[in-house]
Amino acid sequence: MDDKTIVALATPIGRSAVAVIRMSGADSIDIAKKLFRPFPTTPNMLQVGKLTTPNFVEQAMCVYFVAPKSYTGENSVEFHCHGGMEIVRAIIDECIDKGARMALNGEFSKRAFINGKQNLSNAEGIIEMIDAETQTAVKAGENLLNNRLGQMTVSLQDTLTDLISSTEAALDYPEEDLELPTIDKIQTSVKAIDGQLVELLNTVSVGKIVKYGINIAIVGRPNVGKSSLLNAFLGTDRAIVSDIAGTTRDTLNESVQYRDTKFNFVDTAGLRNADNAIEAEGIRRAQKAIDDSDIVLWVTDGTSNDLSYKVDKPCIKVYNKSDIVEYKGLKLAKNAVKVSAKQNVGIEELKQKIYDMFAAKGPTIQNGIVLTNARHIDCLTNAHKVLQQILAECTTSSMDILAASLREAWQILGEITGTTADEAIIDRIYSKFCLGK
Amino acid sequence: MKQYDIIVIGAGHAGCESALAAARLGCSVLILATNLDTVGFLACNPSIGGTAKGQIVKEIDALGGQMARTADQSLLQMRMLNAGKGPAVYSPRAQVDKHAYHTNMKNTLESEPNLTLRQGEAVELNRNEDGTYTVTTAVGLAYQGRAVVLACGVYLNSRCIVGKHSQNSGPNGFANACKLTDSIRKLGYTVRRFKTGTPARVKVQTVDFAKMSEQQGETSRRPFSVLTDHIDGAKRSCYLTYTTPQTKEIILANKQLAPLFNGDINGVGPRYCPSIEDKVVRFSDKERHQIFLEPEGEFTNEYYVQGASSSMPADIQEQIYHSIDGLENVQIMRDAYAIEYDCIDATALDATLMSKQHKGLFFAGQINGTSGYEEAAGQGLVAGINAERYIHNKTPFVLTRHDSYIGVLIDDITTKETNEPYRMMTGRAEHRLVLRQDNADLRLTEKGRQIGLVGDKQYNLYLSKVQELENGRAQLKEIITPRRMQKLFEYCGESMPKAGLTVDEVLRRNNVTAQLAKQYLGVFEQLSIEVLEQIEIEVKYRGYIERQQKVIEQSKKLEDKLLPKDIDYTKIDGLRLEARQKLNAIRPLNLGQAGRISGVSPADVQILIVYLAQHKGKV
């Protein structure tokens, strides 16, 4: 277990008035200072201020604790922000970007225990937890060879091993007639590896869905029944429904669990050219909801098909009000359903369609490597960063530096596959090159 | 029965360092060699240093050991390998006169007041009830020691092989120690059989150097030891030549005669030191192989043929050698041979190289499954220091992966089971950027001083270097006006800045060296070349070094979590079976070491962390 600064949502996942994000570790205060201003002047004091991420500035509160006087016994920070997964996700991403990593399940408690903050009776539970983690890790390890992430990681490592062994052989055997890999060769290889890494990182976003759920934007012209549809999904009257077009002026966020996946719905204001300033703001937010979504439900009631904005996301067309609108001669396309939100007809079918659309994207979802997912993303992102650095510096750096960075990238990938570099590289050196006196 | 504080068995590179260190620290020391002509004998190539090994030699010097000084005294050539590839891999390599090296080393032992050098084959080693040891030699003399360092090297039950001929002897026909293995077995150690080899020695007058390229030494190079004032780095040259297609044909045609392939050799040989027949067979697509001719000494006509070690029958060896460019008419003076020997599994030792099972019994050098003079000397030094500390009840002296190559070496061999002779490589040091040959003195002199092996002269040299370095670092903040840096930047082809820069910023420019800054800017005036280099590295590599330091700090935290010596790992819930067995067998000192054992997973380490937290204050 490393003692890197960890971050996670401390309140339950889902919509709530306030969400608490907790960060723990030596660097947590430094990281928090980069996000939150004005930073509280003294520990244990809740301070109102602004939380800045690349996408938004959020009014929030922040409190920090200095080791050992904290839950974990380490330096810790808590952000109290508005509930809502988009906000939470963006803040966590920002913490990770500044040097934290996603906490594993129960890691805060584990640290609290190790630092003597929890009593001994908890030890058994923690051992069980590690054991469970191990089981999952072992399972994930078994899965690795069968899933795309594992296979690709192994093959990336293999390419890296080749490159590193050529470099290391030349460095450790300077008197043999070995050529150091040229800068060109290093660039080409690293670019190829990095390209695949980026591809992998895109795949892993499917994994993110498993963890955080699928973001679904409900859009359509005013009064086609978007809010009714949301209510039908939720089985409550969360959204205000009325016959007056433009009732929903803000976006509403709601989540519902479907099978093993969470659906995060965003009900948007009807999209039209609003002359009302408040409604215009609602529409701007709706457009943002679409941009942030994984999937768009395009709701229509047959009166007009026209949507005058861009949807470059996977999209399901929802023909609503099937109880009162006769869709004469309508041939349903593959990604289309007929429902009645009011009468709760076709809703299950729609849910299944949404689920299939993502489950089909990759085996990641079914393999259930949710637990290690945060770690995987973390590793891949870090490896990507190191490779980017190599590309930026390879024309000016000396070979010892490049070798160190290459090895760092290998080690990071090794955290996914559970392998260590040393022997793999040394084996490759001696099998590939004829060396020695 | 004669009594000594410490008895060292073997006077090779490990034995000499052990004996000298212990004697210099005030112990009465007996050092035994089967033949006094083998003291400090360079049984294979006449060379000291090279990649990773050069770093070790400098570390030995910084700790107050001997090898660097003796190598400097016996020098024929000095070069810096990997020049231009970055300071982390710069590696000094020397050609030395093997006769001079032996004579100088023997003389050093003979001049050491507390040290008794004695010819004698140790045939029996027994542990007495009071914890002391009795060593008996072949002629029936017995000696008692409070601690023993076993450093028998390649002489332990060794067998030399040339084709069908094989003889029980140490290298070069020297007598071996064939009975001692029984005692080692009886004490309970696993004995393994490793193998290595050496090429033929040829007569220089029969070599056609016109067909080879000369490789001269470098006059600008500094000595290994900070105590050596001056060396001649280019006294003798080496020569590079190549095998030919005939070489390959001859070897393939006679493959069945090679003991390596026909089953006559059972020992495990190193992959990094293959014989010429092994290279040709394993890398059959390679057109030709490099061969270096290295002088064996200043006053001999013998040359060492690096790259052509072999255990082929002597007549085939001749054919092979005659097929090499420039060796068509060469006269072989000594045959190439393979040598098999006994060694132990060093996971039986702790980080001081003392047996976990028998207090006061140390193992150092090739007996631990390593290869190389430098690797042996580094271990010998650590074993000698700790033997003294053991008998005087001092805290153990442990080098770590963070402070030295010797630390990496010892951690590797005592933690991971090695299945072949272990050779040090720079690639094995994960903190290579920090463990450089140029800063070995800065890393380790203070430790050597505390131990008591670094004398006033060496320590004062160190202190003044540190002072000079501080002085140089202070100048980095000085601001240089654009006018003042114009000439330097023109010369270096660097673009001119609009405003002034600090010296630090100037040095960070790619083409600016500290030497040039001194020349053009009038800074660093009083600083030596060494300190200039050090400053330059510190500035140019700062980002990377800081990153590595951070990693080191991280891993130190695990190293600091000590595991109690009496843990029963089989009873810890949650550990996987393999981890339990490995941990119980190797008994790591701390969590960091535990994590490096193959078969111990990160999850197992977590379980151990929890276990430690659970038992805080109880164990």
Side-chain angles (χ1 to χ4, degrees):
Chain A
M1 176 164 50
D2 63 277
D3 54 3
K4 208 175 160 183
T5 295
I6 50 172
V7 60
L9 179 62
T11 43
I13 291 180
R15 183 161 176 82
S16 57
V18 175
V20 177
I21 292 161
R22 181 187 279 158
M23 203 168 20
S24 176
D27 297 334
S28 57
I29 294 172
D30 287 339
I31 295 171
K33 280 182 180 164
K34 291 178 188 158
L35 268 71
F36 192 88
R37 290 219 174 86
F39 198 75
T41 47
T42 49
N44 315 326
M45 192 192 80
L46 208 55
Q47 166 81 43
V48 180
K50 286 199 161 58
L51 232 170
T52 309
T53 74
N55 295 325
F56 58 77
V57 177
E58 159 92 353
Q59 185 85 17
M61 292 192 288
C62 174
V63 55
Y64 77 96
F65 309 93
V66 176
K69 291 183 179 173
S70 72
Y71 172 69
T72 55
E74 303 173 326
N75 284 349
S76 303
V77 177
E78 281 176 12
F79 296 125
H80 298 235
C81 59
H82 296 113
M85 286 317 289
E86 273 313 312
I87 292 169
V88 167
R89 192 187 306 189
I91 294 169
I92 289 178
D93 282 352
E94 193 59 14
C95 292
I96 289 171
D97 192 61
K98 297 280 182 286
R101 71 162 169 76
M102 196 77 202
L104 304 175
N105 269 6
E107 200 169 359
F108 287 98
S109 305
K110 204 191 305 170
R111 289 188 179 198
F113 171 75
I114 286 160
N115 293 323
K117 287 282 170 175
Q118 285 191 9
N119 63 37
L120 288 177
S121 62
N122 289 342
E124 286 307 309
I126 283 170
I127 286 182
E128 268 166 36
M129 195 168 60
I130 295 172
D131 202 36
E133 250 172 52
T134 316
Q135 299 300 333
T136 317
V138 168
K139 218 166 145 194
E142 284 164 359
N143 283 345
L144 270 177
L145 282 176
N146 299 321
N147 75 30
R148 198 155 153 240
L149 172 69
Q151 284 167 359
M152 276 183 77
T153 312
V154 168
S155 100
L156 291 181
Q157 272 183 311
D158 193 58
T159 318
L160 262 181
T161 306
D162 263 345
L163 190 59
I164 296 171
S165 62
S166 315
T167 315
E168 292 291 340
L171 290 179
D172 261 312
Y173 289 91
E175 294 185 293
E176 300 284 339
D177 47 350
L178 301 172
E179 297 272 322
L180 266 175
T182 59
I183 298 299
D184 268 2
K185 165 127 203 302
I186 293 174
Q187 268 175 334
T188 315
S189 299
V190 169
K191 263 186 202 153
I193 297 166
D194 193 45
Q196 279 178 288
L197 260 188
V198 171
E199 205 177 298
L200 254 184
L201 274 169
N202 291 336
T203 321
V204 170
S205 71
V206 175
K208 244 184 179 172
I209 285 166
V210 178
K211 182 130 186 133
Y212 296 109
I214 305 173
N215 288 342
I216 303 159
I218 305 176
V219 305
R221 293 184 61 80
N223 212 21
V224 293
K226 297 186 292 296
S227 297
S228 306
L229 186 64
L230 177 60
N231 287 341
F233 278 128
L234 301 173
T236 63
D237 282 340
R238 169 70 180 82
I240 308 159
V241 192
S242 82
D243 293 336
I244 306 160
T247 309
T248 305
R249 299 198 171 176
D250 196 352
T251 51
L252 288 175
N253 300 283
E254 285 296 345
S255 295
V256 55
Q257 187 75 24
Y258 182 71
R259 295 171 61 173
D260 57 1
T261 305
K262 210 150 66 54
F263 289 176
N264 307 313
F265 291 106
V266 183
D267 177 18
T268 65
L271 290 157
R272 62 177 185 180
N273 295 324
D275 37 18
N276 180 320
I278 300 171
E279 213 171 285
E281 174 60 15
I283 290 170
R284 194 192 63 77
R285 291 193 187 188
Q287 184 66 54
K288 188 170 178 315
I290 293 169
D291 295 341
D292 291 344
S293 69
D294 300 307
I295 188 167
V296 173
L297 298 185
W298 174 6
V299 188
T300 176
D301 61 0
T303 50
S304 166
N305 262 340
D306 170 46
L307 275 182
S308 56
Y309 58 93
K310 227 175 83 193
V311 177
D312 51 3
K313 293 287 163 79
C315 182
I316 296 175
K317 193 151 184 193
V318 182
Y319 295 92
N320 195 13
K321 308 185 185 175
S322 65
D323 52 330
I324 51 171
V325 180
E326 252 189 272
Y327 289 104
K328 254 191 189 167
L330 171 71
K331 269 194 186 165
L332 278 182
K334 193 168 159 246
N335 282 337
V337 286
K338 227 169 18 173
V339 304
S340 165
K342 277 242 169 80
Q343 307 294 325
N344 206 12
V345 175
I347 300 298
E348 277 308 305
E349 188 193 345
L350 177 54
K351 283 184 184 172
Q352 183 62 40
K353 215 169 209 29
I354 296 169
Y355 182 84
D356 288 346
M357 214 165 192
F358 278 88
K361 249 197 161 180
T364 328
I365 284 182
Q366 285 123 343
N367 280 350
I369 48 173
V370 178
L371 185 81
T372 46
N373 231 324
R375 205 171 60 83
H376 287 170
I377 298 170
D378 204 36
C379 290
L380 293 171
T381 312
N382 288 339
H384 171 61
K385 276 187 199 159
V386 173
L387 293 181
Q388 284 294 318
Q389 198 191 349
I390 295 174
L391 289 174
E393 293 174 352
C394 68
T395 49
T396 51
S397 285
S398 57
M399 207 39 96
D400 53 349
I401 294 292
L402 289 179
S405 298
L406 286 170
R407 200 176 267 257
E408 193 180 341
W410 205 111
Q411 301 280 24
I412 295 170
L413 292 179
E415 286 172 27
I416 294 179
T417 54
T419 44
T420 52
D422 307 356
E423 284 313 309
I425 290 168
I426 288 171
D427 284 348
R428 186 70 57 92
I429 289 175
Y430 291 125
S431 63
K432 239 175 102 176
F433 304 102
C434 178
L435 300 165
K437 50 193 180 172
Chain B
M1 186 160 54
K2 283 217 173 94
Q3 300 195 341
Y4 293 90
D5 287 335
I6 291 159
I7 300 171
V8 178
I9 301 176
H13 306 285
C16 288
E17 292 290 347
S18 273
L20 285 169
R24 286 167 178 168
L25 292 171
C27 298
S28 62
V29 178
L30 169 73
I31 180 166
L32 292 170
T34 54
N35 183 333
L36 290 192
D37 294 336
T38 65
V39 172
F41 179 53
L42 299 164
C44 200
N45 55 341
S47 163
I48 294 210
T51 49
K53 295 157 173 272
Q55 280 85 333
I56 292 179
V57 178
K58 293 207 130 192
E59 290 176 358
I60 290 171
D61 187 54
L63 289 166
Q66 185 59 38
M67 178 173 251
R69 303 177 205 173
T70 306
D72 285 339
Q73 286 163 18
S74 323
L75 205 78
L76 293 178
Q77 183 191 94
M78 183 68 96
R79 290 171 57 224
M80 186 65 84
L81 304 183
N82 276 333
K85 292 178 195 160
V89 290
Y90 292 173
S91 308
R93 181 187 200 269
Q95 296 300 136
V96 297
D97 180 326
K98 69 162 53 169
H99 308 290
Y101 192 93
H102 154 74
T103 309
N104 288 328
M105 186 58 90
K106 182 157 174 273
N107 197 13
T108 305
L109 294 182
E110 290 161 351
S111 315
E112 198 57 50
N114 295 329
L115 201 151
T116 308
L117 175 62
R118 182 72 163 90
Q119 180 159 307
E121 180 198 345
V123 292
E124 221 181 299
L125 168 69
N126 287 305
R127 186 177 161 86
N128 306 320
E129 274 182 9
D130 61 355
T132 63
Y133 293 86
T134 301
V135 176
T136 314
T137 62
V139 294
L141 292 173
Y143 306 93
Q144 192 185 355
R146 293 161 70 188
V148 167
V149 180
L150 277 168
C152 346
V154 79
Y155 293 78
L156 189 62
N157 197 22
S158 50
R159 181 172 76 109
C160 292
I161 302 130
V162 181
K164 284 220 164 311
H165 172 78
S166 107
Q167 82 186 58
N168 284 322
S169 82
N172 199 32
F174 285 121
N176 62 0
C178 50
K179 302 218 171 66
L180 200 58
T181 300
D182 286 343
S183 293
I184 294 170
R185 272 214 181 88
K186 248 184 238 161
L187 283 166
Y189 298 90
T190 311
V191 173
R192 303 185 292 175
R193 195 108 177 119
F194 277 1
K195 174 236 144 191
T196 185
T198 195
R201 314 300 196 268
V202 298
K203 190 175 176 183
V204 68
Q205 292 94 327
T206 60
V207 176
D208 185 359
F209 285 128
K211 292 185 173 167
M212 307 182 178
S213 46
E214 184 177 357
Q215 201 176 47
Q216 289 180 337
E218 296 160 356
T219 48
S220 61
R221 294 302 165 196
R222 287 194 291 275
F224 278 125
S225 173
V226 294
L227 289 170
T228 308
D229 292 327
H230 174 77
I231 49 164
D232 179 358
K235 221 177 203 176
R236 284 279 189 285
S237 294
C238 295
Y239 296 86
L240 169 64
T241 183
Y242 292 93
T243 61
T244 62
Q246 288 98 289
T247 315
K248 195 164 150 182
E249 278 170 33
I250 296 163
I251 289 169
L252 292 178
N254 294 287
K255 199 181 152 192
Q256 75 288 351
L257 298 175
L260 189 62
F261 300 116
N262 66 18
D264 283 353
I265 290 180
N266 302 313
V268 185
R271 286 173 295 181
Y272 49 79
C273 193
S275 57
I276 186 73
E277 52 267 27
D278 201 12
K279 291 190 205 178
V280 165
V281 170
R282 275 178 53 213
F283 296 92
S284 57
D285 53 339
K286 205 165 148 99
E287 280 303 305
R288 57 179 197 174
H289 296 269
Q290 281 193 145
I291 303 289
F292 283 100
L293 270 84
E294 303 175 7
E296 289 258 294
E298 204 177 349
F299 304 106
T300 173
N301 290 317
E302 284 184 80
Y303 265 66
Y304 175 93
V305 189
Q306 197 220 86
S309 79
S310 176
S311 56
M312 286 289 215
D315 55 334
I316 310 292
Q317 284 186 23
E318 263 187 18
Q319 289 181 41
I320 294 171
Y321 277 62
H322 287 163
S323 73
I324 294 169
D325 279 337
L327 298 185
E328 292 82 358
N329 300 307
V330 86
Q331 192 181 315
I332 290 180
M333 296 175 71
R334 302 179 202 232
D335 305 302
Y337 58 87
I339 182 165
E340 282 186 340
Y341 55 96
D342 289 345
C343 58
I344 66 151
D345 180 349
T347 58
L349 312 179
D350 67 20
T352 69
L353 296 176
M354 184 166 76
S355 161
K356 290 170 188 165
Q357 203 185 336
H358 303 110
K359 299 287 163 230
L361 182 59
F362 293 79
F363 292 75
Q366 208 144 353
I367 192 171
N368 288 339
T370 62
S371 83
Y373 313 139
E374 303 82 357
E375 286 89 335
Q379 291 172 62
L381 181 59
V382 170
I385 290 169
N386 280 299
E388 185 271 334
R389 298 181 80 80
Y390 164 74
I391 63 166
H392 292 142
N393 282 320
K394 296 182 189 168
T395 53
F397 169 67
V398 173
L399 289 170
T400 69
R401 303 186 76 87
H402 319 119
D403 58 33
S404 59
Y405 272 89
I406 301 174
V408 173
L409 163 72
I410 292 176
D411 184 65
D412 275 349
I413 61 172
T414 58
T415 305
K416 305 169 186 169
E417 297 134 295
T418 44
N419 302 317
E420 64 176 336
Y422 178 100
R423 176 206 201 268
M424 198 63 214
M425 300 162 74
T426 68
R428 294 193 197 268
E430 63 272 45
H431 309 307
R432 180 164 72 185
L433 294 180
V434 179
L435 306 184
R436 304 185 309 270
Q437 59 91 26
D438 61 77
N439 67 3
D441 53 349
L442 297 173
R443 286 184 275 125
L444 300 171
T445 307
E446 203 65 69
K447 288 184 197 289
R449 179 70 174 180
Q450 277 162 22
I451 291 163
L453 284 176
V454 168
D456 290 345
K457 186 180 172 197
Q458 186 177 357
Y459 192 57
N460 288 334
L461 282 170
Y462 161 75
L463 289 180
S464 65
K465 183 172 174 185
V466 170
Q467 183 58 49
E468 218 181 299
L469 203 52
E470 284 305 324
N471 170 11
R473 285 177 188 141
Q475 293 183 48
L476 290 171
K477 296 189 190 90
E478 191 182 326
I479 293 181
I480 308 289
T481 59
R483 231 180 98 192
R484 206 169 141 203
M485 71 181 80
Q486 192 173 2
K487 273 196 174 153
L488 171 66
F489 275 34
E490 267 169 26
Y491 179 84
C492 297
E494 292 285 349
S495 61
M496 281 293 291
K498 289 205 171 63
L501 297 176
T502 60
V503 176
D504 193 283
E505 287 165 324
V506 171
L507 258 187
R508 267 185 270 163
R509 295 291 184 104
N510 277 334
N511 300 322
V512 179
T513 64
Q515 187 69 50
L516 285 169
K518 178 180 175 177
Q519 202 176 320
Y520 282 90
L521 303 180
V523 293
F524 304 145
E525 288 231 303
Q526 307 294 319
L527 304 189
S528 65
I529 297 176
E530 270 171 82
V531 170
L532 279 179
E533 266 178 22
Q534 198 61 229
I535 297 233
E536 186 176 315
I537 294 168
E538 281 183 9
V539 171
K540 289 194 188 289
Y541 284 65
R542 187 181 294 133
Y544 303 99
I545 289 171
E546 276 171 5
R547 226 159 82 190
Q548 197 138 89
Q549 286 292 5
K550 235 181 162 176
V551 176
I552 289 177
E553 291 310 316
Q554 280 280 332
S555 54
K556 261 189 188 162
K557 286 182 190 159
L558 282 181
E559 307 288 324
D560 287 344
K561 293 207 170 77
L562 298 180
L563 290 161
K565 289 204 163 155
D566 52 355
I567 293 188
D568 183 356
Y569 291 99
T570 58
K571 298 219 168 91
I572 297 182
D573 283 341
L575 286 180
R576 288 165 317 111
L577 185 63
E578 189 191 1
R580 291 179 197 206
Q581 291 167 343
K582 284 277 176 71
L583 287 164
N584 246 11
I586 293 176
R587 313 206 65 80
L589 211 62
N590 56 50
L591 278 177
Q593 197 194 359
R596 288 189 293 273
I597 297 171
S598 64
V600 176
S601 72
D604 294 320
V605 174
Q606 289 193 36
I607 299 280
L608 290 177
I609 291 176
V610 174
Y611 177 87
L612 284 181
Q614 230 174 332
H615 293 79
K616 218 175 258 172
K618 288 189 192 169
V619 281

